[in-house]
Amino acid sequence: MKDFPYTEKKDTRSGFGAGLLELGRTNPNVVGLCADLTGSLKMDAFQKEFPERFFQVGIAEANMIGLAAGMTIGGKIPFTGTFANFSTGRVYDQIRQSVAYSGKNVKICASHAGLTLGEDGATHQILEDLGMMRMLPHMTVINPCDYNQTKAATIAIAEHEGPVYLRFGRPVIPNFTPADQKFEIGKALMLNEGTDVSIFATGHLVWKAILAGHILAEKGINAEIINIHTIKPLDTEAILKSVAKTGCVVTAEEHNRFGGLGDAVAQVLISNNPVPQEYVAVNDTFGESGTPDQLMEKYGLTENDIVAAVERAISRKKA
């Protein structure tokens, strides 16, 4: 099992803030909009350096999406920022009608996604957002795994024409991907080649998958681990190539088991190469208040849960 050394832990939302600031310095058409959470979204450096290109709309998320859609008509590239729950659930109608339906070039950037929002609890956590957004025609859906990848993704989506949903979070996690990486939308990343099982992970669960890979190696199980940072468009070629070799699958995501990465992968498999698949995801429930680590443990999103899912998947393989 390959090692992934790192020297620091960082939050992925700070990767978004760093990427947005770099875009501000290189692309005069990039503008920022925020719904009263500038510090939480790490948009404050962009606001300070480019006050004429930053719009604080207050607690009016639906208005923010409408403003962003309108700005694209004048050639601007708006990046909207608020918590993932308010970026999707609160404004789904506005996104559907004003952004996705007309293919507007809006970048919907969402922090504090999943359970790791922690103590704020179920009303602020969202576990349905990937499913909601991937169902929208024209929408690209991206869920990077660490600070460096989030920064690179933020920069990359400015060059992509069309609406994008970019998901990231609050907790500090290992920053292990290259600082100089080039982010390629829709291209999965091989982290560890293996022969016994394919682990497809996204977001914060990528690092958990790496930890699981080391535990599995000690058990004599050779896991192939792939970082699926783009949920839509999905890298079906990478998925099918991996599964043809391993014969079984585990998907890992900080999301409801319905509608997210697991279902996206299952749709590919059922049409091409049905194999045993196990989900590591929240089992059709809302979250609750607690520390991120407590919640990940309670809702079955740890490296040990991935290991158990791998063992179940392997046991279902045809001899």
Side-chain angles (χ1 to χ4, degrees):
M1 173 67 196
K2 184 179 176 183
D3 285 322
F4 290 87
Y6 63 92
T7 59
E8 60 184 350
K9 293 184 176 182
K10 286 187 172 184
D11 49 324
T12 50
R13 61 177 172 163
S14 289
F16 164 69
L20 184 64
L21 180 61
E22 185 169 324
L23 282 172
R25 294 168 175 168
T26 58
N27 191 332
N29 285 321
V30 168
V31 297
L33 300 90
C34 192
D36 203 36
L37 288 166
T38 308
S40 292
L41 268 289
K42 303 299 182 182
M43 300 176 80
D44 38 355
F46 181 94
Q47 179 188 29
K48 182 178 180 180
E49 191 161 331
F50 306 102
E52 75 287 355
R53 290 157 57 190
F54 184 83
F55 303 88
Q56 178 55 266
V57 304
I59 306 174
E61 294 87 355
N63 187 42
M64 179 174 68
I65 296 298
L67 286 170
M71 288 177 179
T72 66
I73 298 172
K76 300 303 179 185
I77 307 173
F79 282 66
T80 68
T82 186
F83 288 1
N85 192 19
F86 310 141
S87 288
T88 57
R90 182 169 287 179
V91 295
Y92 197 69
D93 179 63
Q94 285 74 25
I95 293 172
R96 183 184 187 276
Q97 303 294 77
S98 299
V99 177
Y101 177 63
S102 52
K104 291 292 192 296
N105 194 31
V106 176
K107 316 306 175 186
I108 302 165
C109 304
S111 184
H112 294 59
L115 291 171
T116 47
L117 173 55
E119 292 84 351
D120 287 359
T123 58
H124 283 55
Q125 297 160 351
I126 192 164
L127 297 164
E128 316 92 65
D129 54 318
L130 295 177
M132 293 168 66
M133 301 307 280
R134 65 179 279 261
M135 285 191 294
L136 287 172
H138 307 142
M139 185 67 69
T140 293
V141 180
I142 296 173
N143 187 32
C145 70
D146 68 359
Y147 172 96
N148 284 340
Q149 191 169 78
T150 306
K151 179 181 178 181
T154 303
I155 293 168
I157 65 176
E159 298 298 321
H160 173 80
E161 183 65 32
V164 175
Y165 179 61
L166 178 65
R167 184 196 215 231
F168 42 92
R170 180 171 71 177
V172 293
I173 58 174
N175 185 32
F176 65 93
T177 66
D180 60 350
Q181 66 188 279
K182 179 176 174 56
F183 188 89
E184 190 173 349
I185 294 173
K187 185 67 174 177
L189 294 176
M190 176 70 71
L191 298 180
N192 189 76
E193 294 194 23
T195 56
D196 297 328
V197 61
S198 299
I199 303 177
F200 301 122
T202 189
H204 294 144
L205 269 291
V206 173
W207 183 252
K208 299 293 187 183
I210 291 170
L211 296 178
H214 286 288
I215 297 172
L216 291 165
E218 293 176 359
K219 294 172 173 278
I221 297 173
N222 186 9
E224 182 145 293
I225 302 173
I226 297 181
N227 174 5
I228 307 287
H229 53 66
T230 305
I231 311 298
K232 181 185 177 184
L234 195 64
D235 191 344
T236 58
E237 182 180 353
I239 290 168
L240 293 173
K241 182 178 179 180
S242 178
V243 170
K245 179 169 50 172
T246 65
C248 66
V249 169
V250 169
T251 52
E253 59 192 313
E254 188 184 346
H255 190 269
N256 195 324
R257 64 176 287 117
F258 298 111
L261 173 64
D263 278 2
V265 170
Q267 288 172 6
V268 172
L269 298 180
I270 199 67
S271 299
N272 295 277
N273 184 15
V275 298
Q277 177 178 346
E278 293 286 335
Y279 287 56
V280 174
V282 176
N283 190 21
D284 194 27
T285 184
F286 293 102
E288 61 185 295
S289 297
T291 67
D293 286 344
Q294 288 172 334
L295 295 172
M296 296 290 270
E297 179 77 31
K298 177 170 182 176
Y299 290 91
L301 304 182
T302 70
E303 58 269 28
N304 290 324
D305 294 300
I306 296 175
V307 169
V310 164
E311 292 174 336
R312 292 194 302 271
I314 289 176
S315 73
R316 293 168 53 204
K317 279 203 292 188
K318 294 179 180 179

